[in-house]
Amino acid sequence: MKLCLHCESDMLVKKNFFMFKIPAAILLLLVPYGFVICWLPFLIPPNYACKKCGREFRKVKEVDWHEYEKMKQEKEEGK
């Protein structure tokens, strides 16, 4: 499960920027030997945006589902 680094919310949106990657790949096809390197724009990692706090970041916090449930219970008990 992927969590926000700042607010530890699981409401994340993956932004792939296909509007940038596809035209870049097409342009690379026009370069000599571009068919060899046209896949490079797709290696750029996606950005993530948190719906709760509104921040954008590249890396997310990976947590097992059971650990997330434990964290959730601890937050509820702490309040």
Side-chain angles (χ1 to χ4, degrees), residues 25-65:
I26 292 171
L27 286 174
L28 286 173
L29 277 173
L30 300 175
V31 176
Y33 297 105
F35 60 91
V36 177
I37 59 170
C38 68
W39 52 272
L40 288 177
F42 297 101
L43 291 180
I44 300 170
N47 286 347
Y48 292 90
C50 180
K51 287 184 177 180
K52 188 173 182 181
C53 66
R55 295 182 180 176
E56 290 190 15
F57 41 89
R58 283 198 185 256
K59 294 185 179 181
V60 292
K61 185 177 181 181
E62 293 281 340
V63 177
D64 187 54
W65 183 77

